[in-house]
Amino acid sequence: MSTMNMDDVNNSTIIQQAPSNFLFSNVNKILSTFVPAHHRRQSNELYKSIGVKSHGTITFADNKSNRAEFIRIPPDAPVMQVKELISTKWCHERPSLVISVTGGAKDYNMKPKLLRAFRRGLLKVASTTGAWIITGGMNTGIMKLVGEIVQINPNRHRPIHLIGIATWGCVAGSDQLDVHGTNVHYAKPHVEELNEALLEPNHTEFIFVDDGSVRKFGGEITFRASLEQAISGDFFAIRSNSDSSPTLPKLTPTTSFRSEQSDPIPVVLLVVEGGPNTVRTVHEAVVENNIPAVLFEGTGRCCDLFAKAVRLYKEYR
């Protein structure tokens, strides 16, 4: 392991400059010492191919043990390259399953019986299969609930990757995240604007879709569905064409992505409550990208509407 030659650093400079200024002035030397050059080149090339506008890590006052990776990308960013970034730079292991959770962004109280079932089921599946979980990443509604559930994961040897995909213009304090490769101590803004939300502190990765809009939710929906389809590799379409009664494979512990990058991975959309943007998310996933949806009936609003429509369809078709 190479060491940094402190003789090259002017001692008077150290004395005269604040620690933050000293680190800033010597950041290239620090990076070259601790981060191999070829790894930085590979990351920079991948960021460039994706069109990354800003990137770095985030630490939260509410969860100081979590250092979340993040990128900010345009809505037409190539999904295959983003998938590669997630799998090779962030998560490192191939999941057996991806659970995409969508639903109400507003705070609401789930019935205790449903809450217990939801918490128990989600935690068991995610912790035992090495599943990734995808949400909208905000500290409200179902996204906040999922973050709180992941936080109580009893298996610390197998952390759950919780990936938030959000519209950049709706992130409260997004100006803090306009950085390139540095860590941000994310702080709550002094003034909370309408149609903005704080980030949920238990998410381990964030993808911010910057479509140029300001405080307008839903800008990430199309990209999110396309990314999930790229991860799934038409998993269910392949099985539907070859088997009239397709079944899920047995979920096994995760394996290296390097050996099975091209293999399709089952992606399932889990719908809990929700409003108009949840309807859009379900349409993009199910109709446009062939991602199956599981409706958590009894949680209210559009989720119950979908469940009723399915029952009526089965009854009258």
Side-chain angles (χ1 to χ4, degrees):
M1 177 177 175
S2 60
T3 58
M4 187 167 149
N5 187 356
M6 295 308 294
D7 294 335
D8 294 337
V9 181
N10 189 308
N11 288 332
S12 62
T13 303
I14 298 174
I15 295 170
Q16 293 170 7
Q17 289 184 332
S20 59
N21 293 334
F22 169 71
L23 288 174
F24 181 79
S25 301
N26 293 276
V27 66
N28 288 330
K29 181 174 288 189
I30 294 169
L31 283 173
S32 63
T33 301
F34 295 105
V35 183
H38 70 280
H39 284 306
R40 285 183 282 117
R41 280 197 300 270
Q42 288 175 351
S43 295
N44 289 337
E45 289 171 2
L46 191 53
Y47 290 146
K48 186 175 180 181
S49 69
I50 293 172
V52 169
K53 298 182 178 182
S54 58
H55 66 94
T57 57
I58 308 171
T59 50
F60 298 88
D62 294 339
N63 186 358
K64 294 179 181 177
S65 64
N66 179 31
R67 183 181 288 250
E69 301 274 359
F70 82 89
I71 55 172
R72 169 189 168 202
I73 59 174
D76 60 350
V79 292
M80 294 306 294
Q81 277 83 348
V82 175
K83 172 189 171 184
E84 180 185 352
L85 174 69
I86 297 171
S87 61
T88 62
K89 304 298 181 183
W90 288 357
C91 298
H92 304 297
E93 287 187 329
R94 181 182 187 275
S96 297
L97 173 69
V98 175
I99 306 169
S100 179
V101 184
T102 189
K106 296 180 179 180
D107 291 332
Y108 77 103
N109 294 318
M110 188 183 292
K111 296 176 182 177
K113 186 177 181 179
L114 288 175
L115 177 60
R116 287 193 297 271
F118 180 73
R119 181 192 293 121
R120 183 171 57 249
L122 184 64
L123 194 57
K124 181 178 180 179
V125 170
S127 62
T128 58
T129 67
W132 296 350
I133 302 176
I134 298 176
T135 79
M138 301 300 196
N139 200 30
T140 59
I142 189 63
M143 301 166 282
K144 180 179 180 180
L145 177 59
V146 172
E148 292 170 347
I149 292 173
V150 167
Q151 187 183 32
I152 62 175
N153 173 28
N155 189 351
R156 296 302 175 186
H157 298 292
R158 177 176 282 178
I160 298 171
H161 286 281
L162 181 56
I163 304 168
I165 304 179
T167 303
W168 171 260
C170 295
V171 177
S174 60
D175 56 303
Q176 304 171 58
L177 306 173
D178 193 10
V179 298
H180 297 276
T182 60
N183 181 65
V184 176
H185 296 282
Y186 184 68
K188 181 179 179 180
H190 295 297
V191 179
E192 292 188 37
E193 300 285 351
L194 186 66
N195 290 334
E196 281 187 350
L198 294 169
L199 298 176
E200 201 288 317
N202 296 299
H203 281 67
T204 54
E205 292 86 20
F206 289 94
I207 299 172
F208 302 122
V209 179
D210 186 358
D211 62 350
S213 65
V214 178
R215 293 189 286 278
K216 185 178 180 181
F217 288 107
E220 83 292 347
I221 291 175
T222 299
F223 173 83
R224 174 176 168 175
S226 297
L227 176 63
E228 291 167 356
Q229 195 278 334
I231 294 172
S232 76
D234 286 324
F235 179 92
F236 288 99
I238 293 169
R239 280 149 181 79
S240 295
N241 291 334
S242 60
D243 185 352
S244 59
S245 302
T247 58
L248 282 172
K250 182 179 180 181
L251 300 178
T252 58
T254 57
T255 56
S256 172
F257 243 109
R258 294 176 179 83
S259 63
E260 300 187 60
Q261 280 187 341
S262 59
D263 284 1
I265 298 168
V267 179
V268 177
L269 182 68
L270 179 58
V271 187
V272 183
E273 204 234 17
N277 277 332
T278 302
V279 176
R280 285 186 56 204
T281 301
V282 172
H283 178 269
E284 283 291 333
V286 177
V287 179
E288 300 296 335
N289 291 284
N290 207 42
I291 301 294
V294 176
L295 309 172
F296 203 34
E297 188 175 12
T299 54
R301 300 177 74 197
C302 81
C303 187
D304 285 5
L305 179 64
F306 277 129
K308 185 174 182 178
V310 170
R311 286 202 308 274
L312 289 173
Y313 173 75
K314 289 182 177 179
E315 182 179 350
Y316 291 107
R317 72 177 180 177

